[in-house]
Amino acid sequence: MSKIPYKIYLEEHEIPKYWYNLRADMPNKPAPLLNPGTLQPMTVEELSNVFCSELAKQELDDTTRFIEIPEEIRQFYTMYRPSPLMRAYRLEKALGTPAKIYYKFEGNNTSGSHKLNSAIAQAYYAKQQGLKGVTTETGAGQWGTALSMACSYFDLDCKVIMVKVSYEQKPFRREVMRTYGADVTPSPSMNTQIGQKILAEHPGTSGSLGCAISEAVEVATSTPGYRYVLGSVLNQVLLHQSVIGVEAKTACDKYDIKPDIIIGCAGGGSNLGGLIAPFMGEKLRGEADYRFIAVEPASCPSFTRGKFAYDFCDTGMVCPLAKMYTLGSGFIPSANHAGGLRYHGMTTTLSQLYHDGLMEATAVEQTAVFEAAEQFARTEGILPAPESSHAIRVAIDEALRCKEKGEDKTILFGLTGTGYFDMLAYEKFHNGQMSDYIPTDEDLQAGFAGIPNIRL
Amino acid sequence: MSKIPYKIYLEEHEIPKYWYNLRADMPNKPAPLLNPGTLQPMTVEELSNVFCSELAKQELDDTTRFIEIPEEIRQFYTMYRPSPLMRAYRLEKALGTPAKIYYKFEGNNTSGSHKLNSAIAQAYYAKQQGLKGVTTETGAGQWGTALSMACSYFDLDCKVIMVKVSYEQKPFRREVMRTYGADVTPSPSMNTQIGQKILAEHPGTSGSLGCAISEAVEVATSTPGYRYVLGSVLNQVLLHQSVIGVEAKTACDKYDIKPDIIIGCAGGGSNLGGLIAPFMGEKLRGEADYRFIAVEPASCPSFTRGKFAYDFCDTGMVCPLAKMYTLGSGFIPSANHAGGLRYHGMTTTLSQLYHDGLMEATAVEQTAVFEAAEQFARTEGILPAPESSHAIRVAIDEALRCKEKGEDKTILFGLTGTGYFDMLAYEKFHNGQMSDYIPTDEDLQAGFAGIPNIRL
């Protein structure tokens, strides 16, 4: 057996006691959210109409470095945390690379992903506020599953609006959510005004996260005792997901592991933001240096081909405006896109860091992603989610680059989840029916046309 | 945080170095396997026509107490072992029971079950023998997935014959197996002589493990360089699964946990046999006492309503005869039966122990099983496999009995796997479409009629 185990498990008492708020260490703070009506920065009071009050505070707090994790949340975390930091000895051997590859595996729970980290926090604050229930949207279904589990734990109602393409392709996810007592509706639906509008304009659309968000917000704000919760993009979600990075950093420090490159997939940006948070903090404070790489699908290239501008967070344009890398709130990835990571924008924190040159981004095509997924499954044993496999693809590419150059760099990536509910996408891949699609410049221009012209 | 953590993880160097062969400690050994032609005890040479030679030796070895686990297998085990011993604090609280509930969780791997423990051992010995590939049957698909993973690791061909009802209800499993490079066929099929015969006699049958076994054996023995491997029932499989019990015992000893009752679901009996092995060894040697409870489906009640007799292990009557509790090799559970645990017999070791009064057995109906599954999912967070939920049902019942009596007993059960691929069964349960079925005495008599009349 090697000195560093295959799976590094911290003890339960090492579950972090604080979330780390990266914004507090950023010299250039993310731009504030704007009220879509007044174009003034959103206040906690305004946000509290949509979000739980404590979460509204967390959303706007860019100065408190450490925020205590309530004990009830830490108790819930013991179900599946600390999550293991894995050494990919077998993948390294298969690649013949001198690089050392580590991954923080967040899939060892029934939601199958990191989403549970924030779901339990959001459900907790909703319960504290005495709410009856929450609404949300879900894409691949991981977030909806996570929220269902969290709401079941705190005995809250849970209404999940599920992107239609996922609702139809992933009926099993629906049953997992029902096992935890959630109410699940496909989006766009005729139950909301915005759903009716989108269906009138785009009949037969397979939906998008943007549409689903608008519907979930409408349901929350029109139902007494409800608030809206969101599984990515928001500052509060990055804050909660910092538990990934803090644990990863603790494990690295304990075993004297110093990553050179840290890689994560990026849809809305929450897992990546959470994973890199404490490492980026060191970089910002000049204590250490790391390369950070965000990996996005070539079919939804917010960072690599988007614009850095104020834009709507949702298709219905009812949410606050955020300054972010965006493809326009009307952008919907082509129907052949298999996994999640379908969001048109990118969380403000990562957008600012990318804009400031503190982070890199790259886009990969899905056939190459599934090739990496299969290689990973066969060597490491874990069947990865398509989303997570974007990070695997780039980790493998970087490891092969190390092999070419004879460098023994240390690579750390986020393995956000498992692919057990994604077997239809794998089936397409096995049958050679998977296609790649890169949006044309015209496709992108159509999306950009919907970005409002705001200069502050 | 409590003194005993929610999840007890041993270190990787604590992965057992030896399998424990319970038979060596049994005063009444399991009766020998018989050659179906001569009715004489099978020899290693005869078994080696069907099984890998080293596995044939293990099959017949009832004297060697400890068998060393080859280092390459221990290396593979590091992918997912040691598996956690979990304390069900949340379930205890929900039940309001003074009982302490522990479960050994074997689902934290891509096969979603304990099956991988034996799959990797069998693939290893096949590779050592220089074989080209192996054939097997799979019911719920867990064993097939596990074997696919193991064969992929050792670069062996893998042909999986899958019980038709599972093949159709669980298409996603097929894609997991394909991800690991396996070839999957539904059973009964027209590819084998026995499949043709069964289809002629029972047109439209949804299949059974017994049929699938016969087909897999036929393919193995008629294809050069192939051997047959089996995921349960056999002595060798119980031997490999003892890794569960040895780890559980080590963890219990480390934390001074003394189980009063040890519970496991029983289909062919391998997970239960593996879990209880070292504890039963203590009982046999008079060093400690435990209650052991085998839980089987009321629709396939081998222990509780079967006969203790020599019977065929497969529907096709080509395999050796085993003395076991059996419903007859022609018995097929009713089509409404949702999960695995469909096998007509029970491994010889457990059959002998049950016959000798060293173990109890109970049968439960599936609606009650899914009620327990949902309660467990909501409290403990893990979505259990229907098979495992049989053990959960009885663990909950025993814990409630402790509550009634005010006893703080310690209960340990085997949580063999996750239910991510069983959502159709959960859907039926959610929709109130799940029914119970208990075979009538006439149903059982029809099965018993096929048991050969052998007295030794």
Side-chain angles (χ1 to χ4, degrees):
Chain A
M1 298 275 163
S2 318
K3 194 180 145 203
I4 290 184
Y6 288 79
K7 309 174 296 299
I8 300 174
Y9 278 104
L10 299 175
E11 305 283 329
E12 284 173 6
H13 65 79
E14 292 175 289
I15 291 174
K17 294 188 171 57
Y18 297 88
W19 290 306
Y20 168 57
N21 187 6
L22 177 59
R23 287 168 293 169
D25 277 325
M26 288 171 68
N28 298 332
K29 308 283 185 198
L33 297 174
L34 299 186
N35 182 315
T38 64
L39 298 189
Q40 293 301 306
M42 292 290 287
T43 63
V44 168
E45 291 66 34
E46 288 171 325
L47 280 176
S48 298
N49 295 325
V50 178
F51 300 115
C52 304
S53 309
E54 193 59 34
L55 293 167
K57 276 186 214 157
Q58 291 180 359
E59 191 61 31
L60 299 189
D61 183 348
D62 59 9
T63 55
T64 310
R65 195 185 256 181
F66 297 104
I67 293 178
E68 192 169 1
I69 304 177
E71 185 54 27
E72 279 176 83
I73 296 176
R74 293 186 74 235
Q75 284 291 331
F76 184 91
Y77 279 164
T78 58
M79 277 195 192
Y80 64 103
R81 308 207 69 86
S83 73
L85 178 68
M86 318 278 281
R87 173 73 184 266
Y89 285 114
R90 297 176 186 87
L91 179 61
E92 291 168 17
K93 194 176 162 196
L95 297 172
T97 177
K100 299 178 195 73
I101 308 176
Y102 293 87
Y103 53 100
K104 180 73 170 164
F105 180 39
E106 292 288 317
N108 257 352
N109 69 74
T110 293
S111 82
S113 81
H114 65 293
K115 299 282 185 180
L116 204 47
N117 301 330
S118 183
I120 191 59
Q122 298 194 44
Y124 169 81
Y125 291 116
K127 189 69 181 181
Q128 287 294 103
Q129 196 174 326
L131 296 178
K132 186 172 185 314
V134 294
T135 71
T136 197
E137 83 299 331
T138 195
Q142 294 170 337
W143 168 245
T145 307
L147 190 68
S148 304
M149 294 176 70
C151 286
S152 164
Y153 189 76
F154 285 124
D155 199 21
L156 278 170
D157 287 354
C158 180
K159 291 182 191 294
V160 179
I161 318 287
M162 190 169 183
V163 177
K164 198 173 179 182
V165 61
S166 298
Y167 185 90
E168 287 169 355
Q169 286 184 2
K170 300 178 181 174
F172 289 3
R173 285 274 194 202
R174 187 182 61 220
E175 295 307 321
V176 179
M177 293 187 240
R178 287 180 76 196
T179 301
Y180 290 93
D183 173 53
V184 191
T185 317
S187 165
S189 80
M190 295 300 280
N191 301 343
T192 61
Q193 294 183 359
I194 183 69
Q196 291 169 17
K197 183 164 173 281
I198 290 167
L199 282 170
E201 286 170 10
H202 306 279
T205 175
S206 58
S208 71
L209 265 188
C211 305
I213 291 173
S214 302
E215 288 202 278
V217 171
E218 187 180 322
V219 173
T221 51
S222 61
T223 314
Y226 273 75
R227 288 295 186 283
Y228 168 68
V229 298
L230 179 64
S232 187
V233 183
L234 296 174
N235 294 320
Q236 58 190 265
V237 182
L238 262 75
L239 175 70
H240 306 149
Q241 295 297 356
S242 70
V243 72
I244 304 173
V246 174
E247 273 186 16
K249 184 81 173 59
T250 303
C252 283
D253 290 349
K254 203 165 171 176
Y255 286 85
D256 202 23
I257 298 160
K258 296 188 194 311
D260 298 294
I261 310 173
I262 302 177
I263 300 166
C265 63
S270 74
N271 97 76
L272 178 62
L275 173 65
I276 69 174
F279 300 97
M280 181 63 87
E282 287 190 315
K283 181 164 176 163
L284 291 172
R285 297 189 303 270
E287 296 163 12
D289 197 19
Y290 304 97
R291 264 183 80 199
F292 300 101
I293 309 177
V295 189
E296 57 188 14
S299 57
C300 193
S302 323
F303 267 140
T304 51
R305 297 176 71 197
K307 285 198 185 310
F308 188 47
Y310 264 107
D311 195 9
F312 296 98
C313 290
D314 64 320
T315 315
M317 305 180 185
V318 298
C319 288
L321 292 151
K323 191 170 180 191
M324 58 184 178
Y325 280 84
T326 178
L327 299 165
S329 61
F331 181 86
I332 295 179
S334 72
N336 77 341
H337 176 65
L341 311 178
R342 304 171 64 86
Y343 189 63
H344 68 275
M346 193 58 69
T347 184
T348 57
T349 296
L350 294 187
S351 290
Q352 188 65 49
L353 291 166
Y354 181 62
H355 186 70
D356 291 342
L358 290 156
M359 201 177 83
E360 304 167 33
T362 185
V364 290
E365 295 184 43
Q366 65 182 356
T367 307
V369 165
F370 276 83
E371 282 164 8
E374 190 168 273
Q375 180 169 27
F376 185 81
R378 292 187 181 188
T379 51
E380 290 293 309
I382 298 169
L383 187 89
E387 298 81 28
S388 323
S389 304
H390 287 73
I392 297 173
R393 174 73 274 162
V394 172
I396 289 176
D397 291 345
E398 289 292 334
L400 291 174
R401 200 159 295 135
C402 286
K403 184 181 180 179
E404 268 175 38
K405 296 187 180 175
E407 293 175 334
D408 64 345
K409 289 192 174 159
T410 298
I411 298 169
L412 167 63
F413 73 89
L415 185 72
T416 54
T418 50
Y420 305 139
F421 292 98
D422 300 290
M423 295 321 297
L424 284 173
Y426 273 92
E427 184 177 20
K428 273 191 186 169
F429 174 68
H430 296 148
N431 294 343
Q433 293 160 341
M434 179 162 280
S435 54
D436 290 320
Y437 179 77
I438 302 179
T440 63
D441 286 342
E442 289 69 34
D443 293 334
L444 294 186
Q445 288 307 326
F448 293 155
I451 300 175
N453 188 14
I454 295 170
R455 299 271 173 274
L456 292 185
Chain B
M1 298 275 163
S2 317
K3 196 179 143 201
I4 290 183
Y6 289 79
K7 309 176 297 297
I8 299 174
Y9 278 104
L10 299 175
E11 305 282 328
E12 284 172 5
H13 65 80
E14 293 175 288
I15 291 174
K17 294 188 172 57
Y18 296 88
W19 290 305
Y20 168 57
N21 187 7
L22 176 58
R23 288 168 292 167
D25 278 325
M26 288 171 68
N28 298 332
K29 307 283 184 198
L33 297 174
L34 298 187
N35 182 316
T38 64
L39 297 188
Q40 293 303 305
M42 293 289 287
T43 62
V44 168
E45 291 65 35
E46 287 171 327
L47 280 176
S48 298
N49 295 325
V50 177
F51 300 115
C52 305
S53 311
E54 192 59 34
L55 293 167
K57 276 186 215 158
Q58 292 180 358
E59 191 61 30
L60 299 189
D61 183 348
D62 59 9
T63 54
T64 311
R65 194 185 257 181
F66 297 105
I67 293 178
E68 191 170 1
I69 304 177
E71 183 55 27
E72 277 175 86
I73 297 176
R74 293 186 74 237
Q75 284 292 330
F76 185 90
Y77 279 164
T78 59
M79 277 195 191
Y80 64 103
R81 303 207 73 84
S83 73
L85 178 68
M86 318 279 279
R87 172 75 184 265
Y89 285 114
R90 296 176 188 87
L91 179 62
E92 291 168 19
K93 194 176 162 196
L95 297 172
T97 178
K100 299 178 195 74
I101 308 175
Y102 292 87
Y103 52 100
K104 180 73 170 164
F105 180 40
E106 291 290 317
N108 258 352
N109 69 73
T110 293
S111 82
S113 83
H114 64 292
K115 300 283 185 180
L116 205 47
N117 300 331
S118 183
I120 190 61
Q122 299 194 44
Y124 169 81
Y125 291 116
K127 189 70 183 181
Q128 289 293 104
Q129 196 174 324
L131 296 178
K132 185 172 185 312
V134 293
T135 71
T136 197
E137 84 300 333
T138 195
Q142 293 169 338
W143 168 246
T145 307
L147 190 69
S148 304
M149 292 175 70
C151 286
S152 163
Y153 189 75
F154 284 125
D155 200 20
L156 279 170
D157 286 354
C158 181
K159 292 184 193 291
V160 179
I161 318 287
M162 190 169 185
V163 176
K164 198 174 180 182
V165 61
S166 297
Y167 185 89
E168 287 169 355
Q169 286 183 3
K170 300 178 181 176
F172 290 2
R173 284 274 194 203
R174 188 182 60 221
E175 295 307 321
V176 179
M177 293 187 241
R178 288 179 77 196
T179 301
Y180 289 94
D183 173 52
V184 192
T185 316
S187 164
S189 79
M190 296 299 283
N191 300 342
T192 62
Q193 293 183 359
I194 183 69
Q196 291 168 17
K197 181 163 173 284
I198 291 168
L199 282 171
E201 287 168 13
H202 305 277
T205 175
S206 58
S208 71
L209 266 186
C211 305
I213 291 172
S214 302
E215 288 203 278
V217 170
E218 185 180 324
V219 173
T221 51
S222 62
T223 314
Y226 274 76
R227 287 296 184 283
Y228 168 67
V229 298
L230 180 63
S232 188
V233 183
L234 296 174
N235 295 320
Q236 59 190 262
V237 182
L238 262 75
L239 175 70
H240 305 148
Q241 294 298 356
S242 70
V243 71
I244 303 173
V246 174
E247 273 185 15
K249 184 82 174 59
T250 304
C252 283
D253 290 349
K254 203 165 171 175
Y255 285 85
D256 201 25
I257 299 161
K258 296 188 197 309
D260 298 294
I261 310 172
I262 303 178
I263 301 166
C265 62
S270 74
N271 96 77
L272 178 61
L275 173 65
I276 70 174
F279 300 97
M280 182 63 87
E282 286 189 314
K283 181 165 176 161
L284 291 171
R285 296 189 304 268
E287 297 164 10
D289 196 18
Y290 305 96
R291 266 184 78 199
F292 299 101
I293 308 176
V295 190
E296 57 188 14
S299 57
C300 193
S302 324
F303 267 139
T304 52
R305 298 177 70 196
K307 286 198 186 308
F308 188 46
Y310 264 107
D311 194 10
F312 295 98
C313 292
D314 64 321
T315 313
M317 306 180 185
V318 299
C319 288
L321 291 151
K323 190 168 180 194
M324 59 183 176
Y325 281 85
T326 177
L327 300 165
S329 61
F331 182 86
I332 294 179
S334 73
N336 78 340
H337 176 68
L341 311 178
R342 305 171 65 85
Y343 188 63
H344 68 275
M346 192 60 68
T347 184
T348 58
T349 296
L350 295 188
S351 290
Q352 188 64 50
L353 292 167
Y354 181 63
H355 187 69
D356 291 342
L358 291 156
M359 199 176 82
E360 303 165 34
T362 186
V364 290
E365 296 184 42
Q366 65 181 358
T367 307
V369 165
F370 276 84
E371 282 164 8
E374 190 168 273
Q375 181 170 26
F376 185 83
R378 290 186 182 188
T379 50
E380 290 293 308
I382 297 169
L383 187 90
E387 297 81 26
S388 324
S389 304
H390 287 72
I392 297 174
R393 173 74 274 160
V394 172
I396 288 176
D397 291 345
E398 289 293 335
L400 291 175
R401 200 160 294 137
C402 286
K403 184 182 177 179
E404 269 175 37
K405 298 188 179 174
E407 294 176 334
D408 64 343
K409 287 193 175 159
T410 298
I411 298 168
L412 167 63
F413 72 90
L415 186 72
T416 53
T418 51
Y420 306 140
F421 292 98
D422 300 289
M423 295 321 297
L424 283 173
Y426 273 92
E427 184 176 21
K428 273 191 187 169
F429 174 69
H430 295 148
N431 294 344
Q433 295 161 342
M434 179 162 280
S435 54
D436 290 319
Y437 179 76
I438 301 180
T440 64
D441 287 341
E442 288 69 36
D443 292 336
L444 294 186
Q445 288 306 328
F448 293 155
I451 300 176
N453 187 15
I454 296 171
R455 299 271 173 270
L456 290 188

